[in-house]
Amino acid sequence: SEGNVSSEPGAAADSAAPGSEEEAAAPPPAEELGPKELLKLAEAHLAAGRELAAENVLKRIIEEHSGHPIIPEALYRLAEAAYNSGDFKLAISRFQEVIDKDESNKWSAWALLRQGECFEELKQPGNAKLFYEDVIRLYPKSAAAKDAKKKLR
């Protein structure tokens, strides 16, 4: 049949015997990846400046794995994508989703700090200061609080 890769002689897809090391070394298709692997894929997209691709992967994690413990981080990374794209108002809203999901998760302190940074980008230093103060008050022993203290100096 025309366009069928497997009918072509020597096609790479057919060269690995089932169960061979070559077959095992090939990465699974994206639709077979679990939430942790998808999160790594999204992080790679973010690191490469591919925010839209990262957003698509992160939205998929959130939709398909709603009860998974990785969700707060996926929400945080989704907010990061908006921040990196310069959409600070959307980022503020998305960072708030991280906090609303569970204030005790480790991503909430960072989300609050990043909301302050969004307000700085929006030329609202007074609002930014309020968020930095909240990070220190609500998460005093966190690394985010340490960063917030630096920003208040």
Side-chain angles (χ1 to χ4, degrees):
S1 69
E2 193 171 287
N4 185 345
V5 175
S6 62
S7 67
E8 295 177 18
D14 290 339
S15 63
S20 72
E21 283 185 40
E22 288 178 42
E23 183 183 59
E31 57 272 357
E32 294 179 18
L33 295 177
K36 289 181 181 179
E37 293 83 9
L38 287 169
L39 185 62
K40 286 180 183 175
L41 176 61
E43 288 172 343
H45 285 314
L46 284 171
R50 296 185 303 263
E51 278 71 23
L52 186 58
E55 283 195 23
N56 289 332
V57 173
L58 292 162
K59 287 177 181 176
R60 179 175 157 204
I61 294 169
I62 294 162
E63 289 170 11
E64 294 178 8
H65 305 281
S66 62
H68 197 280
I70 211 164
I71 294 301
E73 183 176 359
L75 288 168
Y76 181 87
R77 300 290 179 207
L78 188 61
E80 286 280 296
Y83 183 94
N84 293 349
S85 296
D87 192 343
F88 303 114
K89 289 180 181 179
L90 178 60
I92 289 167
S93 173
R94 287 182 175 174
F95 282 124
Q96 188 61 46
E97 288 180 46
V98 176
I99 298 162
D100 291 346
K101 184 79 174 165
D102 179 6
E103 287 184 17
S104 66
N105 76 69
K106 70 178 184 176
W107 298 99
S108 290
W110 290 110
L112 203 54
L113 180 81
R114 296 293 277 161
Q115 283 179 309
E117 292 173 345
C118 288
F119 280 109
E120 279 189 38
E121 293 289 344
L122 293 170
K123 308 291 187 240
Q124 298 179 24
N127 284 334
K129 181 182 177 190
L130 294 173
F131 280 86
Y132 299 146
E133 289 170 348
D134 277 350
V135 174
I136 295 163
R137 181 176 55 81
L138 297 170
Y139 307 97
K141 296 180 192 282
S142 70
K146 186 177 175 182
D147 284 3
K149 287 176 187 172
K150 289 178 188 173
K151 291 181 177 293
L152 288 172
R153 288 185 191 143

